[in-house]
Amino acid sequence: MAMHEVGQCVLLPNNIGSVSSTNKFVQNDNLIQQCEVEEKKHLFVQDIVTFQDEVLLFIQSCKGAFLPRKEDYECIFGGTQKTKIHAIGFKEPELIYVKCLHPKDTISLHVAQNQLVSLLHTKSQNQLETMAQYPKRPSWESLVYEALVQKGGILLFVQGYHDGQSKGFDLSQMRCVFGNMEVMTWIRMVGHEVVQCEMPHPSLYKSLIGKKISIKLPKMGLLPSIVYFESSMTMKSLINENILQYSNHIMVNPNPSGTIINKQDLNSTKKKYFICACSMIQNQARFLKEWIMYHSYLGIERWYLYDNNSVDEFEEVLSESLLPFNVTHHIWPWRNVEETCMSHCALRAQHECEWVMFTHVDEFVYPINYIYGNKRVMYNNYSILERFIKMETERVWGAKGANHVAEIRLHCFDYGPSGLTQPPEEGVMVGYTCRMKTPKRHKSIVRVDALSDSLLNVVHHFSIKPKFRTLTLHQNIAVINHYKYQVWDVFKSKLRRSKMGTYIILDPKVEHIEGVEDLRTRFGIGPIEPLDWPDRFCQLVDLGLHNFTLHTFQHPHTHQLLWQ
């Protein structure tokens, strides 16, 4: 979706795109009554995933159910121990996730006969039926947790297993397992925590509905799984949605031939969107509007946002401020799996996007040569990013060679607090103007059809197919402004309490940068702001994107920016 420039002010088009989210307003606080009385549907706790610090429950709900209030329920362990719920939402249209703390007395729970975990409605004291058993060790250590159906089979996302563990045995020793070992299929490929399984024969679909899918490995055996084989979407909806699954529940095509329908096969080879964006988000609602509106102006047409356990106003910003944009909101409650999140997003996007930008929400693409000068008026029918991609790939490799460029890498410059002590009201692009001189890393814009089948990626760099090339651009052509070290109140959200009582930095790369190591030495009361924090990470004042933002997005009379 593009914006239209009028003088020095940018206007949003009307009624373009939508924010796709499954959450509904609260209406009935008793979910049991809502589903079993109104829908006459069996309701139960289907699965449990345990992390070191919290418990994640998945509840099979009913179609059209309203999201219950977390204050009306408690998690109950072994029928006696209760803990408060601190997050609740829809993972899928008929699957609710609930997050709560572990019980205090886990030892007695492990030796007790009743190790079931359920949800208790505090007013009626009704408990949901449950299949969830409290495990003796965190179940997240080894788990099949997400899946996608592609034209060639099923892709399973597996925590605790990666391609390096497959050395020493071949794929013929591995199997994909459907149900309780009733059906097994070959494994075609093992990538970075991604396993590609052959689909079972179509004649078996009906008998496998509602049964789990997992993998069986030498030495490790059958891995735990929360992925199910389902058949609740018609052929028409598969074609229209262009996505063949809803994360934990595989949606198979019920047609007799068993052919997986791909909208791309039915139409032309041209994708619906030239460039899309994928990002995993955690508590970054404060600059989400700015990030989306700015990149929409550059030419991003479709957004895939993966919410990784946010507790800020992320959903409110989506529903209230970003309705004109083509945004899909996907719940991603897993831990330390950003690479597989990006693989998951690349697979979803490849059906409708030719190129995908993989960045964080505090990273802003700055195509210097294409927003200033004569290149801005060339290719008038194209957006800034489309002109940028087409012209740079042709400039370096020629018209024929450009078709073999699969990845464009941009240098990232880290910006510091720039002397500020409070978050800038006008946004990060105008507020933060001082950066480090030397770029620390790259980020990529990727042609998703050219990705390697392994989907291997590290810090948003994907492996690509052999015949394709990577293009790394000079920093005078285009860069990424990474507003990484913001004012302290924002930056400290990157910190978390470790088991030892110290505060560690969520991004491991930060620990190796001068001026940050001392943040790990504090104990007890909380992360302590260094006295000179506002002046750190400032080696060069760079007003390039600052000036462009004011010129393009500031209202000529009120002087407010579009996202204020």
Side-chain angles (χ1 to χ4, degrees), residues 201-314:
H201 192 273
S203 63
L204 300 172
Y205 285 179
K206 188 174 181 180
S207 64
L208 293 177
I209 291 174
K211 296 185 178 179
K212 288 188 175 183
I213 311 171
S214 187
I215 58 175
K216 185 179 180 183
L217 306 171
K219 300 179 182 179
M220 298 180 70
L222 186 66
L223 298 189
S225 175
I226 59 170
V227 172
Y228 292 83
F229 193 85
E230 299 287 350
S231 180
S232 59
M233 297 177 73
T234 65
M235 187 191 309
K236 180 178 178 181
S237 64
L238 288 174
I239 296 171
N240 289 340
E241 288 294 325
N242 218 12
I243 291 293
L244 306 186
Q245 74 49 265
Y246 277 96
S247 2
N248 300 84
H249 291 69
I250 291 294
M251 306 300 187
V252 299
N253 182 357
N255 69 333
S257 68
T259 303
I260 300 299
I261 301 298
N262 184 338
K263 189 175 183 180
Q264 191 67 24
D265 297 335
L266 299 179
N267 298 321
S268 66
T269 57
K270 183 176 176 60
K271 300 294 181 69
K272 186 176 181 181
Y273 306 111
F274 180 78
I275 184 166
C276 306
C278 282
S279 188
M280 191 174 82
I281 295 177
Q282 186 182 73
N283 298 327
Q284 293 170 310
R286 72 168 66 236
F287 32 83
L288 182 61
K289 285 172 60 178
E290 180 183 6
W291 184 73
I292 287 182
M293 289 179 175
Y294 168 74
H295 285 99
S296 177
Y297 176 85
L298 295 186
I300 297 294
E301 302 167 276
R302 180 84 160 90
W303 311 82
Y304 301 91
L305 303 183
Y306 283 66
D307 181 8
N308 187 226
N309 303 302
S310 294
V311 293
D312 60 2
E313 298 77 28
F314 174 73

Side-chain angles (χ1 to χ4, degrees), residues 128-386:
L128 295 188
E129 292 188 27
T130 182
M131 300 170 60
Q133 292 271 352
Y134 190 75
K136 292 185 177 180
R137 55 184 297 178
S139 59
W140 178 239
E141 294 178 2
S142 178
L143 185 70
V144 180
Y145 62 94
E146 296 267 355
L148 282 168
V149 174
Q150 293 294 295
K151 190 176 180 181
I154 299 174
L155 288 169
L156 299 179
F157 292 76
V158 184
Q159 169 67 9
Y161 175 75
H162 53 82
D163 54 340
Q165 292 174 281
S166 65
K167 295 178 181 179
F169 54 90
D170 58 40
L171 296 182
S172 65
Q173 298 174 284
M174 306 164 62
R175 293 290 186 275
C176 292
V177 178
F178 297 78
N180 188 22
M181 307 291 284
E182 296 111 300
V183 177
M184 290 189 286
T185 64
W186 297 105
I187 289 179
R188 293 179 173 179
M189 178 275 297
V190 175
H192 180 72
E193 298 190 353
V194 180
V195 174
Q196 186 182 51
C197 302
E198 285 188 355
M199 287 287 289
H201 192 273
S203 63
L204 300 172
Y205 285 179
K206 188 174 181 180
S207 64
L208 293 177
I209 291 174
K211 296 185 178 179
K212 288 188 175 183
I213 311 171
S214 187
I215 58 175
K216 185 179 180 183
L217 306 171
K219 300 179 182 179
M220 298 180 70
L222 186 66
L223 298 189
S225 175
I226 59 170
V227 172
Y228 292 83
F229 193 85
E230 299 287 350
S231 180
S232 59
M233 297 177 73
T234 65
M235 187 191 309
K236 180 178 178 181
S237 64
L238 288 174
I239 296 171
N240 289 340
E241 288 294 325
N242 218 12
I243 291 293
L244 306 186
Q245 74 49 265
Y246 277 96
S247 2
N248 300 84
H249 291 69
I250 291 294
M251 306 300 187
V252 299
N253 182 357
N255 69 333
S257 68
T259 303
I260 300 299
I261 301 298
N262 184 338
K263 189 175 183 180
Q264 191 67 24
D265 297 335
L266 299 179
N267 298 321
S268 66
T269 57
K270 183 176 176 60
K271 300 294 181 69
K272 186 176 181 181
Y273 306 111
F274 180 78
I275 184 166
C276 306
C278 282
S279 188
M280 191 174 82
I281 295 177
Q282 186 182 73
N283 298 327
Q284 293 170 310
R286 72 168 66 236
F287 32 83
L288 182 61
K289 285 172 60 178
E290 180 183 6
W291 184 73
I292 287 182
M293 289 179 175
Y294 168 74
H295 285 99
S296 177
Y297 176 85
L298 295 186
I300 297 294
E301 302 167 276
R302 180 84 160 90
W303 311 82
Y304 301 91
L305 303 183
Y306 283 66
D307 181 8
N308 187 226
N309 303 302
S310 294
V311 293
D312 60 2
E313 298 77 28
F314 174 73
E315 290 191 11
E316 287 80 357
V317 171
L318 279 182
S319 60
E320 295 174 8
S321 303
L322 296 174
L323 284 176
F325 298 87
N326 194 6
V327 179
T328 294
H329 172 203
H330 189 83
I331 298 296
W332 191 260
W334 317 118
R335 306 288 184 86
N336 303 319
V337 286
E338 185 172 7
E339 286 83 6
T340 52
C341 175
M342 293 300 99
S343 297
H344 190 278
C345 188
L347 287 166
R348 295 177 68 206
Q350 70 179 189
H351 297 285
E352 56 185 3
C353 306
E354 187 170 344
W355 291 83
V356 176
M357 177 185 80
F358 293 92
T359 66
H360 292 134
V361 179
D362 58 357
E363 296 170 332
F364 289 69
V365 174
Y366 180 29
I368 303 167
N369 266 15
Y370 290 83
I371 57 177
Y372 296 114
N374 62 353
K375 289 184 180 179
R376 188 176 180 186
V377 299
M378 297 177 69
Y379 296 94
N380 283 331
N381 293 330
Y382 295 152
S383 69
I384 292 173
L385 287 178
E386 189 167 358

Side-chain angles (χ1 to χ4, degrees), residues 20-214:
S20 175
S21 177
T22 53
N23 285 14
K24 302 177 180 65
F25 295 108
V26 175
Q27 177 171 310
N28 188 338
D29 67 346
N30 193 333
L31 186 63
I32 304 173
Q33 181 187 46
Q34 186 182 165
C35 283
E36 294 187 351
V37 175
E38 297 178 11
E39 297 288 333
K40 296 182 172 61
K41 183 173 181 178
H42 187 59
L43 189 75
F44 61 96
V45 181
Q46 181 171 265
D47 285 297
I48 180 173
V49 179
T50 54
F51 303 96
Q52 291 286 353
D53 58 344
E54 71 177 3
V55 174
L56 179 62
L57 298 178
F58 290 105
I59 298 164
Q60 188 65 48
S61 181
C62 55
K63 185 177 180 180
F66 288 85
L67 191 65
R69 292 184 293 265
K70 63 182 180 182
E71 296 82 6
D72 296 325
Y73 288 85
E74 292 178 310
C75 291
I76 184 166
F77 300 81
T80 56
Q81 298 191 61
K82 303 172 187 177
T83 64
K84 298 293 184 182
I85 293 173
H86 59 84
I88 190 168
F90 280 102
K91 178 70 170 67
E92 300 164 17
E94 296 185 32
L95 190 68
I96 292 174
Y97 71 86
V98 172
K99 297 179 183 180
C100 54
L101 298 176
H102 288 276
K104 291 182 179 180
D105 187 2
T106 58
I107 297 177
S108 63
L109 184 62
H110 287 148
V111 300
Q113 290 185 347
N114 182 6
Q115 298 176 359
L116 293 174
V117 184
S118 186
L119 209 63
L120 176 71
H121 185 244
T122 53
K123 185 176 180 180
S124 67
Q125 291 297 295
N126 288 331
Q127 290 186 39
L128 295 188
E129 292 188 27
T130 182
M131 300 170 60
Q133 292 271 352
Y134 190 75
K136 292 185 177 180
R137 55 184 297 178
S139 59
W140 178 239
E141 294 178 2
S142 178
L143 185 70
V144 180
Y145 62 94
E146 296 267 355
L148 282 168
V149 174
Q150 293 294 295
K151 190 176 180 181
I154 299 174
L155 288 169
L156 299 179
F157 292 76
V158 184
Q159 169 67 9
Y161 175 75
H162 53 82
D163 54 340
Q165 292 174 281
S166 65
K167 295 178 181 179
F169 54 90
D170 58 40
L171 296 182
S172 65
Q173 298 174 284
M174 306 164 62
R175 293 290 186 275
C176 292
V177 178
F178 297 78
N180 188 22
M181 307 291 284
E182 296 111 300
V183 177
M184 290 189 286
T185 64
W186 297 105
I187 289 179
R188 293 179 173 179
M189 178 275 297
V190 175
H192 180 72
E193 298 190 353
V194 180
V195 174
Q196 186 182 51
C197 302
E198 285 188 355
M199 287 287 289
H201 192 273
S203 63
L204 300 172
Y205 285 179
K206 188 174 181 180
S207 64
L208 293 177
I209 291 174
K211 296 185 178 179
K212 288 188 175 183
I213 311 171
S214 187

Side-chain angles (χ1 to χ4, degrees), residues 155 189-191 194 196 450-456 463-465:
L155 288 169
M189 178 275 297
V190 175
V194 180
Q196 186 182 51
L451 295 181
S452 166
D453 291 338
S454 70
L455 296 173
L456 181 64
S463 294
I464 57 178
K465 293 176 181 177

